[in-house]
Amino acid sequence: MMSQNYETSEEEEFMNVTVRPSSKKVHKSFEDADDDSSPKSLARQVKLLGELVTREMSSMRQELSRLNLTISGFDKRVSSIEERLDILEQKILPDNRMELQERLEKLEKRSPAEDNSVAESVIISQLRLELNEREQDNMLNDVEIAGLDEKNGESTINITLLVAKKIGLSLEERDIVSAERLGPRRIIADDAAGQRRPPRAIVVRLARRSVRDDLLRAARVRRGADTSGIIEAVQSKRFYVNERLTAANKHLFYKTRELGRRDGWRYVWTKDGRIYARRKDGSEVCRIRTPNDITKFFGNGTV
């Protein structure tokens, strides 16, 4: 058997040689590498990220500043509108009350012979109701503060500011149109039954209805606050901040509240000078406008 010799040319020998590059050309030092894990690259990324965050924060601050200016502008416009509405109400409501008062007085001055019509009696009752509601509407910016002892030389405006602070509301003097004790001054003394007569309430008229609402809301949250820090007294006692009611509505509210307690009604309250009652949660809300409504909802009106 003949053996075969395989010979390769110099060119083929060259082609079969694996050429390995020098390690100096392939491998770079760790310090000079420009991949994501190098300290220089990470530092550059952190710097870029910091600049991006700074720009975004600056943009957000500018946007918030513009938003605050816009909200401030809206607040001023709303306050201006409220003040204009209050001025209009204070101008229109007294005129309406005077007109109703004149009509009522004309009917009531009629002689008994002329005043024998049931229709006229209904008209008089309706006029009295409307007159009372107009008077109540004129008190929508008012509150009464009861339970504060009266002192000579007192500043009722300063007392009102202290009351507001006591219940967690910041008021300024410009928020108060007027503040005065209700009714003629009386001597603080014991009555015939030996009970100390309560001091006169302070009637406060606020510049805007929204301020009045804030004051009433704060008083409900801090129900039970006492006079410490407001009036110097031997013993602190509770004070009360409520809506101001007309004499007719005040009597109606007192009677409704007492009858509600007698009959186990859970809620009796006022809102914007209107009187409401509800027997229990989920039951019908009853509006009390006249003594006839008391008879309707509570039966015998004797307390």
Side-chain angles (χ1 to χ4, degrees):
M1 185 174 183
M2 296 181 62
S3 63
Q4 295 182 353
N5 295 324
Y6 293 91
E7 297 180 355
T8 58
S9 65
E10 292 181 359
E11 182 180 356
E12 288 174 337
E13 288 179 355
F14 180 78
M15 292 296 293
N16 289 332
V17 173
T18 302
V19 180
R20 299 184 181 274
S22 171
S23 60
K24 292 183 180 180
K25 295 182 179 179
V26 174
H27 299 291
K28 296 182 180 179
S29 66
F30 182 78
E31 290 78 3
D32 294 334
D34 197 22
D35 55 40
D36 292 341
S37 61
S38 68
K40 291 177 65 177
S41 178
L42 289 174
R44 190 181 301 110
Q45 292 180 28
V46 169
K47 182 180 179 181
L48 291 174
L49 181 60
E51 292 175 351
L52 178 62
V53 170
T54 300
R55 287 197 299 271
E56 290 296 326
M57 291 295 292
S58 177
S59 177
M60 287 179 63
R61 282 195 293 267
Q62 292 176 2
E63 190 64 29
L64 285 173
S65 178
R66 286 195 294 268
L67 185 59
N68 286 333
L69 288 174
T70 302
I71 293 174
S72 177
F74 278 126
D75 286 342
K76 290 180 180 179
R77 291 180 61 186
V78 169
S79 297
S80 175
I81 291 171
E82 285 183 344
E83 290 174 359
R84 291 169 63 188
L85 287 174
D86 289 341
I87 292 172
L88 286 173
E89 287 179 351
Q90 292 170 11
K91 180 179 179 181
I92 294 172
L93 289 175
D95 293 342
N96 290 340
R97 289 205 317 276
M98 289 297 296
E99 182 182 351
L100 289 171
Q101 185 69 46
E102 290 174 0
R103 290 173 59 191
L104 182 58
E105 288 176 355
K106 287 179 181 179
L107 287 171
E108 290 178 334
K109 287 179 180 178
R110 294 168 65 91
S111 65
E114 295 173 309
D115 190 19
N116 56 6
S117 170
V118 175
E120 285 187 355
S121 298
V122 172
I123 291 173
I124 290 175
S125 297
Q126 184 63 32
L127 284 174
R128 284 175 177 164
L129 178 61
E130 290 184 19
L131 187 60
N132 180 61
E133 291 188 346
R134 293 295 180 275
E135 186 179 355
Q136 186 63 66
D137 287 341
N138 196 43
M139 298 178 177
L140 285 177
N141 283 21
D142 299 359
V143 298
E144 279 190 22
I145 306 174
L148 299 176
D149 291 338
E150 189 170 353
K151 304 290 183 181
N152 291 329
E154 66 183 9
S155 169
T156 49
I157 289 181
N158 187 56
I159 291 173
T160 302
L161 295 174
L162 291 174
V163 166
K165 184 178 180 181
K166 181 78 175 186
I167 59 179
L169 183 67
S170 178
L171 277 189
E172 298 182 11
E173 191 168 335
R174 64 181 181 180
D175 295 321
I176 302 172
V177 176
S178 62
E180 57 188 7
R181 294 281 180 174
L182 180 62
R185 186 179 180 87
R186 57 173 179 259
I187 299 175
I188 305 299
D190 295 343
D191 59 17
Q195 299 293 324
R196 176 70 63 177
R197 292 177 180 175
R200 295 181 297 168
I202 298 178
V203 175
V204 182
R205 171 156 292 187
L206 286 312
R208 298 184 303 281
R209 194 171 305 168
S210 59
V211 178
R212 185 213 69 158
D213 293 342
D214 290 341
L215 187 60
L216 291 173
R217 192 178 301 112
R220 285 194 296 270
V221 172
R222 299 292 181 91
R223 185 181 287 112
D226 60 37
T227 57
S228 60
I230 302 174
I231 299 292
E232 292 184 6
V234 176
Q235 184 177 4
S236 297
K237 56 183 179 179
R238 289 183 61 182
F239 65 86
Y240 306 88
V241 181
N242 295 304
E243 294 184 74
R244 186 185 178 193
L245 301 177
T246 65
N249 283 343
K250 190 175 294 186
H251 176 73
L252 202 61
F253 179 57
Y254 170 79
K255 199 168 185 180
T256 303
R257 188 173 54 188
E258 294 302 310
L259 289 171
R261 288 174 179 169
R262 184 198 70 180
D263 295 346
W265 285 56
R266 188 166 184 181
Y267 305 104
V268 176
W269 73 98
T270 64
K271 183 177 181 181
D272 293 335
R274 275 56 174 170
I275 303 167
Y276 301 94
R278 187 166 63 185
R279 183 180 292 275
K280 59 183 179 180
D281 291 329
S283 61
E284 178 187 3
V285 175
C286 305
R287 167 83 186 279
I288 310 295
R289 301 177 67 193
T290 67
N292 290 335
D293 292 328
I294 289 182
T295 304
K296 175 183 176 182
F297 297 118
F298 296 97
N300 184 2
T302 303
V303 179

